[in-house]
Amino acid sequence: MPDGSVGQPISRRLMLRLAASTSVVAAVATGDDDVGAHRKRIYIAADDHTDYMWTADEQTYRQAFLETIDHYLDLADQTDDRPLHFQSRWNCDGLLWLREYEQHKSPEQVDRLVRRIKSGHISFPMTVLVSCYGAMPAEAAIRSLYYGGQVERRYQIRLPMAVAMENQTLPLGLGMLWAGSGVRYSWRGICGCASKIKDSASRRDHDVYWWVGPDGSRVLMKWYSLYKPVTNGSYWNEGPGGYAEARYPEAAIKFVETDADFQSRNPHHVLGLFGQGWDDLETKVELDDPVNSFPAVAQRMTDETRQVIVSNELDYFHDMEQTHGKGLPAVQCSFGNEWELYSASLAEVSASVKRATEKLRAAEAMAVMVEQERPGFDRSLDGMRDQAWIAMGLYWEHDWTADGPVSRKQRAAWQRKIARQIVDYVDSLHDLAAKALGELIGSDDPSDLKNNRRIFVFNPLSWERTDVVDVAIDGDDWHVVDKANEKTLVSQVAVQEGHTSLRFLAEKIPACGYRVFELRAGKTQPAAATIRVTDGKMVSAHDTIIVSPDGAIDFWGATRLGKVMIKPGARGNHLEPALGKISIESSGPISTTVRVDVARPIARTTRVTLFEHLDRIEIDNRLRENFSSVESWRYVFNLRFPRTVHEEVGAVIRASTLAEGGDYADRNARTDWLTMNRMVLMRDTTAAVTIANRDCLFFHLGDARTDPMDSSSNTIYALAGGQVDGSKLGIPDQGGDKTFVQRFALTASSPKRTIAAAMRGSMEFANPLVVGQIESFDGPLHPTELSILNVSSDSIIASAMKVADTRDGFVVRLWNLADKPARCTVSMNRPITSCKQVTHVETDIGPMEVADGKVAVAIPARGWLTLQVNV
Ligand SMILES: [Zn+2]
C-alpha cells in the first residue's frame, strides 16, 4: 500500500473493469479437469486487497464490498456450466466483507452468498481485515477472530484460513493462536515498502513452510520471497511475494515457470499465485477480459504442461498439504514488528485498547458469577459485544502508515472511534456485572448495615492472591473490617489525582472470586509507616530506592538478594533530564508514595510506590502535555550479559536470534522495537528483574534505540510514543493528545524465577482487584467469600473465563506457561456437568470427560486450550 514501492506508479483507482459482455467464453479447450501429477498445478486466486481507511473510508468500502460480492456471485452463476477449474471464484480478504453483506442485504441475498461459500466459489478468511499483530495482546488477537466463530456456528461452515498481509513482519505466537482457533492455512505477501528491513526484498529461507507455534501446533504458510517485477513497469509487490501476486496473471505464471531463482525454492508441482487487487478500491473483472479475468487466463494457459486453476485458495492448500505437506520445512520464529509500531503514534489511544483488553478479564469473570444467578443479565450488551470483537480486528488494521488518500486526521479519528467501541463495551460489561454482583451477595448479618458500607473485592485471576485495594471514600473517617472474621484491618488514606481512597491489604482473595469487607465509620489507631523516606530515598523491607528530581530512579537495592539492581551510575525510568519537585504523597502502614512533578521539558508527574507487604515497586508516569518526538523510558539494570524473554503475542519468547539460540529470525526481521505486552524478564546468573507493563506497547533491548536488538544488553527502553519511522509514517503529534498514563512495576528475584511466576506477578499488576458496592443483602451468593474457578497448576493460568458467546455455558481459556507439558484439573463453584474442547473462537472440537464434576486437561508446553463447560 504506501507509496515508495519499487517501479513506477500506476493509477490508484484503476478499475479492472471492461464493458459488460454477453459472450460467455465457450466450453473449455481441453475439457479436462484432471489434476494429474504429471502437470504443474498453478492456482490463481483473485482477491481485492482491502486498504481500509487508507484508500477510502468506511462507507465507500462498504459499497465496494457489496458490489464486488454481487459481481462475483453473478460470475459464479454464469460459469457454473464450465469445468471446475475454470469457474469463477473470488476471495474476500476479510470477514468484514461478510459482516457488511449481512447487515445491508436481504436474508435471501445472504443465503445466496452462504451457498456460494459452501460451494467453494467465494472464500473468506477468519480474520476481519488485514491487520498487523505485533502490538496485540493475546486475548485481543483471539477476540479479533470471534466474529469468525459466530459465522462458523451460524452457517455451519469452517473458516480454516487467516491472513496477515503486506506488513513485512509477523509475530511468532500468532500462528499458535490461529491454529487454536481452527486456522490451518495462511498466505502472505508483503509490500517491500515503507520498510527498514534491508533484506525484506530478498529471499526468505523458505517460501512454503509449516509455521510451527511454541506449542508444536502448525499452520501451513505460503509466503513467497519477494522476487522482482513480472512485467516492465510493475511493482515488485505485484508479483510473487507481494500482496498482489497475480495482478498480472499471465506474466506471473510465466515468471514462476521460467525464473530459476523461484524454481529453485519452489520445486513443487503445486504453485499458488494469490492476490489481484492492489491499492485500488475495488477489483471487478468481467469474464471476457482476456488479460485480467482469471477464468479466461486459466482456460487459455492450461495445456499439456500445466493446469491453471481458478482458486479459492483452500484448494491450493489442500493440494499442497496432500502433495508436498510431509516434505515441507518448519519455521518457528518471530519476524519482529514494523507497521504495528505506528500504533505508538497514538500512544494513549492504543494504551486504552490494551487496558480494556485486560479489564475485560475482570468484567467477564464477574459476568460468569452473575450469569449463574441471572441468566442473560447482560443480553442488552450483545450488540456492543459483537461490535467490540469486530473492533479488535480493526484497531490494528495494517494501514497505520496513514499515508494514503484518507488523511491522517481522518485515520486518527477513526482509530479513536474503533478504540471507543472496545473500551465502551468493556466498561459497560464491567459496570453492569459489578453492580449485579453487588445485588447478589447475601448477608449473614444485615443488622449493622445502616451505617456501614459493605464491599466485595473481586480477583479476576485464576489463582488466589493477596494485593492492595483502594476503596473510594468521602472524608477520611473510616476503617475496614474483614467480614470473614470481623477483624479490623490496617489501612491508610491515600490521595491521588484528586481521589481519596482507603487503602488496605486484601489477603487471600480466591481465584476468580471475591471476599467481603466492610467500611465502618471512625478511625482506628493509626499504624506507623515502616517504609522510611527522606527526600527521594525510600527504604522498605524489600527494597531501597532513590528517586531523583526528574522522576528517574538513581538507585535500587534489593534487600533480600543483597544486590544493587540498577547499574551504578545509570538509571531507571529515565525519560529526559529535568528538574522537578519531590514530595511524599502518601505514607502509611500499607504503602509509601514519592511523587515527582516536572514542569518541563515535558510536563509530567511520576509516582514511585513501595509496599509493606508486596515485593513490587510501582512506577506511575503521567505525561501532562503533548509531544511530537519519539520518547521512551530507559532502564539500565545491574546485570551482566543478561538473557531477556518477553511476552510477545500469545507466547513468551527469547529476545535473541535463532542463531543465538533465541526466537527471532536471522533474516527478514526487524527487532529494534519488540512487543512488550505485559512483561519483560531479564536475568543473569545472579538475579532477575521483571518489568511489568500496563500501558506501553513496545520496548527496545540495547543501548541505541534505532539499532536491532542487542540480545545480551542490560538496557531497555519502553516506548512512550512517537513516529518511530519519521514524520511520514503514522499520526503526527500524538493526534493532539495531552495526557498519557504509562505504568511499570519492577520486581527483583532470584535468577531461577519461572516465566509463570513472572507472568502471574505482571498480570496481578495489570489486573487490580476490583472493588464493588454490595447494595442488597438478601442475595443468594455467599456472604463472605466465593470462588468460581479452580485450576490446579502453578504453570497454567486462565487467560479468560467468560459466558460463552452462544450463552450455552461458560468458556475457560487456559495457557500453560511452562516449557514442558502440564496437567491440571479444572473445577467450578458448581459441579461441571458437561465439557467440550472448543476452538479459541468457541467452535466445537470434541467432548471432554467429566469426573466428579471436574475436568482433567493436559496442555502442551507453552500451549493454549479452550474449554466450554456447563454446570
Ligand atoms: Zn495494504
Side-chain angles (χ1 to χ4, degrees):
M1 141 278 58
D3 294 326
S5 309
V6 197
Q8 67 188 41
I10 65 169
S11 164
R12 221 166 252 303
R13 304 266 176 180
L14 173 69
M15 304 278 272
L16 296 172
R17 190 189 274 172
L18 288 183
S21 165
T22 52
S23 70
V24 176
V25 182
V28 190
T30 64
D32 179 13
D33 272 2
D34 168 37
V35 246
H38 60 288
R39 290 191 296 178
K40 259 194 179 15
R41 297 185 291 282
I42 302 177
Y43 292 81
I44 53 173
D47 77 357
D48 185 42
H49 169 81
T50 308
D51 281 313
Y52 206 58
M53 290 305 293
W54 187 89
T55 294
D57 63 14
E58 290 176 312
Q59 291 71 27
T60 312
Y61 257 115
R62 172 180 306 143
Q63 204 54 38
F65 294 163
L66 302 181
E67 286 174 11
T68 304
I69 288 175
D70 280 342
H71 176 77
Y72 285 100
L73 285 171
D74 289 346
L75 261 50
D77 290 349
Q78 290 168 32
T79 56
D80 259 343
D81 56 351
R82 296 187 185 185
L84 214 55
H85 298 326
F86 306 140
Q87 292 176 4
S88 173
R89 297 178 201 281
W90 176 256
N91 302 281
C92 300
D93 68 347
L95 267 189
L96 189 66
W97 290 59
L98 177 56
R99 168 120 164 144
E100 295 287 13
Y101 206 85
E102 281 180 321
Q103 293 189 330
H104 296 92
K105 291 285 188 175
S106 70
E108 293 73 27
Q109 288 168 312
V110 173
D111 195 45
R112 181 188 181 207
L113 172 56
V114 171
R115 281 201 310 275
R116 281 300 178 186
I117 298 173
K118 290 182 176 177
S119 71
H121 293 87
I122 307 277
S123 87
F124 290 90
M126 190 178 275
T127 28
V128 168
L129 277 185
V130 182
S131 280
C132 303
Y133 287 88
M136 288 174 79
E139 275 300 329
I142 291 171
R143 302 311 169 101
S144 78
L145 304 175
Y146 255 54
Y147 174 57
Q150 294 175 358
V151 165
E152 287 188 324
R153 296 185 294 273
R154 188 177 311 147
Y155 302 119
Q156 297 295 303
I157 55 175
R158 287 297 185 116
L159 299 168
M161 291 189 295
V163 294
M165 194 67 62
E166 198 179 355
N167 179 27
Q168 283 75 208
T169 57
L170 192 64
L172 165 58
L174 179 66
M176 172 177 64
L177 299 182
W178 279 0
S181 302
V183 170
R184 297 170 60 195
Y185 312 118
S186 182
W187 85 274
R188 203 170 147 69
I190 63 169
C191 188
C193 63
S195 179
K196 285 192 168 173
I197 301 172
K198 290 190 178 61
D199 57 1
S200 73
S202 69
R203 47 181 291 228
R204 316 190 62 77
D205 285 343
H206 304 289
D207 277 19
V208 183
Y209 59 84
W210 291 107
W211 179 9
V212 175
D215 63 341
S217 64
R218 60 186 201 172
V219 168
L220 180 56
M221 170 64 94
K222 178 181 107 61
W223 183 358
Y224 287 163
S225 303
L226 193 59
Y227 289 87
K228 54 183 134 180
V230 294
T231 63
N232 280 340
S234 68
Y235 288 110
W236 288 43
N237 54 34
E238 295 170 305
Y243 57 100
E245 292 184 327
R247 188 168 184 76
Y248 304 98
E250 186 166 340
I253 291 167
K254 285 182 178 157
F255 177 86
V256 298
E257 289 188 332
T258 54
D259 187 81
D261 193 18
F262 181 91
Q263 291 186 322
S264 72
R265 261 169 299 144
N266 293 282
H268 309 126
H269 288 294
V270 183
L271 299 173
L273 291 165
F274 294 177
Q276 183 173 28
W278 190 67
D279 292 4
D280 17 59
L281 173 65
E282 56 184 1
T283 309
K284 292 195 297 196
V285 184
E286 298 298 341
L287 289 171
D288 62 353
D289 178 335
V291 177
N292 298 305
S293 164
F294 281 26
V297 170
Q299 189 165 348
R300 189 174 66 249
M301 295 194 70
T302 291
D303 59 23
E304 303 75 42
T305 65
R306 66 168 100 85
Q307 171 80 56
V308 181
I309 299 162
V310 181
S311 170
N312 61 13
E313 299 178 357
L314 269 173
D315 46 14
Y316 160 83
F317 283 113
H318 288 153
D319 193 357
M320 191 71 194
E321 186 171 25
Q322 207 166 19
T323 309
H324 299 292
K326 286 194 179 120
L328 292 175
V331 171
Q332 186 180 0
C333 60
S334 175
F335 293 94
N337 298 317
E338 186 134 77
W339 291 356
E340 47 269 269
L341 299 175
Y342 311 147
S343 59
S345 67
L346 272 183
E348 184 59 20
V349 185
S350 298
S352 75
V353 174
K354 181 184 169 85
R355 292 191 285 261
T357 307
E358 214 60 26
K359 186 177 178 182
L360 180 61
R361 185 167 293 106
E364 290 183 333
M366 287 191 289
V368 168
M369 211 171 239
V370 175
E371 177 80 10
Q372 291 186 2
E373 302 296 335
R374 291 185 188 168
F377 81 101
D378 61 342
R379 261 186 201 285
S380 61
L381 302 180
D382 281 359
M384 285 179 88
R385 177 196 68 187
D386 293 348
Q387 187 55 43
W389 299 161
I390 295 286
M392 294 273 197
L394 290 179
Y395 187 75
W396 279 285
E397 197 282 338
H398 73 288
D399 294 294
W400 266 101
T401 49
D403 56 344
V406 172
S407 73
R408 292 180 197 282
K409 206 173 158 190
Q410 275 178 285
R411 176 81 190 194
W414 178 76
Q415 296 289 166
R416 286 180 200 281
K417 182 181 92 172
I418 299 299
R420 264 197 311 278
Q421 291 173 352
I422 297 167
V423 172
D424 286 352
Y425 169 63
V426 173
D427 286 349
S428 300
L429 181 64
H430 192 279
D431 292 352
L432 192 65
K435 184 168 182 298
L437 191 52
E439 292 164 1
L440 288 169
I441 296 175
S443 172
D444 50 3
D445 178 16
S447 61
D448 57 0
L449 294 170
K450 281 186 187 153
N451 303 315
N452 302 334
R453 270 180 68 195
R454 196 167 290 182
I455 57 167
F456 66 84
V457 172
F458 185 87
N459 170 20
L461 302 177
S462 59
W463 56 93
E464 179 189 279
R465 74 196 254 219
T466 293
D467 214 323
V468 166
V469 171
D470 284 335
V471 188
I473 51 171
D474 292 326
D476 57 5
D477 199 17
W478 294 94
H479 66 281
V480 62
V481 169
D482 185 337
K483 281 306 288 177
N485 51 28
E486 290 293 322
K487 275 191 185 152
T488 297
L489 302 178
V490 174
S491 60
Q492 77 185 69
V493 174
V495 181
Q496 188 176 320
E497 300 288 313
H499 302 290
T500 305
S501 56
L502 193 67
R503 178 172 290 182
F504 65 96
L505 190 74
E507 293 189 79
K508 297 187 175 174
I509 309 298
C512 295
Y514 64 79
R515 289 189 61 207
V516 173
F517 300 86
E518 200 162 88
L519 266 59
R520 294 179 184 167
K523 284 184 189 174
T524 50
Q525 187 67 31
T530 59
I531 297 166
R532 288 172 287 128
V533 48
T534 331
D535 297 324
K537 184 175 180 181
M538 312 170 74
V539 183
S540 76
H542 306 285
D543 301 286
T544 299
I545 287 273
I546 296 177
V547 182
S548 92
D550 58 6
I553 293 172
D554 282 344
F555 178 87
W556 173 21
T559 309
R560 198 157 45 83
L561 293 173
K563 182 169 170 75
V564 174
M565 301 302 295
I566 297 278
K567 189 180 180 188
R571 329 183 72 197
N573 197 50
H574 175 66
L575 185 75
E576 55 183 8
L579 198 57
K581 189 168 142 286
I582 297 183
S583 58
I584 299 171
E585 187 172 66
S586 76
S587 177
I590 305 298
S591 68
T592 295
T593 300
V594 163
R595 170 177 171 153
V596 180
D597 290 288
V598 172
R600 69 187 77 83
I602 300 177
R604 62 187 190 269
T605 299
T606 292
R607 293 179 174 84
V608 179
T609 300
L610 298 189
F611 299 94
E612 184 72 27
H613 299 282
L614 307 178
D615 63 358
R616 66 173 183 250
I617 299 161
E618 287 195 5
I619 299 164
D620 180 315
N621 299 300
R622 283 162 204 256
L623 307 185
R624 301 192 188 281
E625 68 177 299
N626 183 252
F627 63 96
S628 304
S629 43
V630 176
E631 299 292 343
S632 53
W633 305 96
R634 185 175 196 235
Y635 291 84
V636 184
F637 297 107
N638 189 30
L639 299 170
R640 275 176 60 79
F641 304 111
R643 288 179 168 203
T644 296
V645 297
H646 63 100
E647 185 189 8
E648 199 220 31
V649 182
V652 177
I653 68 172
R654 188 160 163 217
S656 53
T657 59
L658 292 172
E660 298 168 322
D663 286 314
Y664 281 88
D666 293 311
R667 55 194 299 167
N668 309 119
R670 178 167 173 183
T671 60
D672 50 345
W673 292 106
L674 307 180
T675 299
M676 191 160 187
N677 263 330
R678 287 168 297 200
M679 70 145 197
V680 177
L681 173 61
M682 182 183 278
R683 57 182 143 206
D684 68 5
T685 56
T686 65
V689 179
T690 308
I691 308 105
N693 166 49
R694 286 187 72 178
D695 311 285
C696 295
L697 302 177
F698 305 102
F699 74 104
H700 174 77
L701 178 62
D703 219 31
R705 291 192 312 189
T706 52
D707 285 355
M709 67 178 168
D710 172 356
S711 60
S712 61
S713 175
N714 61 350
T715 301
I716 73 162
Y717 296 82
L719 182 59
Q723 291 172 277
V724 295
D725 286 341
S727 61
K728 291 182 176 160
L729 294 168
I731 308 298
D733 306 323
Q734 294 294 332
D737 283 345
K738 294 189 173 70
T739 310
F740 304 84
V741 180
Q742 305 192 337
R743 294 159 295 182
F744 309 103
L746 304 175
T747 307
S749 58
S750 120
K752 295 203 172 90
R753 188 178 211 204
T754 62
I755 285 170
M759 182 60 81
R760 283 170 181 245
S762 301
M763 286 180 71
E764 288 175 10
F765 177 57
N767 292 266
L769 294 169
V770 178
V771 176
Q773 187 79 22
I774 297 178
E775 298 284 5
S776 168
F777 306 100
D778 54 359
L781 298 183
H782 196 278
T784 59
E785 184 169 354
L786 179 64
S787 166
I788 50 166
L789 180 67
N790 187 282
V791 178
S792 68
S793 165
D794 284 338
S795 73
I796 298 173
I797 60 153
S799 176
M801 160 141 221
K802 66 185 284 291
V803 177
D805 260 23
T806 57
R807 295 194 174 274
D808 176 16
F810 307 106
V811 165
V812 181
R813 187 166 11 264
L814 303 170
W815 183 12
N816 176 19
L817 285 153
D819 273 330
K820 53 183 187 224
R823 292 173 178 279
C824 71
T825 305
V826 176
S827 57
M828 289 183 63
N829 55 317
R830 298 175 180 179
I832 295 173
T833 53
S834 67
C835 176
K836 56 189 175 184
Q837 189 185 346
V838 293
T839 66
H840 299 325
V841 296
E842 304 183 13
T843 296
D844 289 2
I845 294 178
M848 300 277 291
E849 195 177 330
V850 179
D852 291 337
K854 298 175 183 175
V855 179
V857 299
I859 308 181
R862 304 167 80 187
W864 292 64
L865 182 86
T866 302
L867 303 175
Q868 190 168 337
V869 301
N870 292 93
V871 295

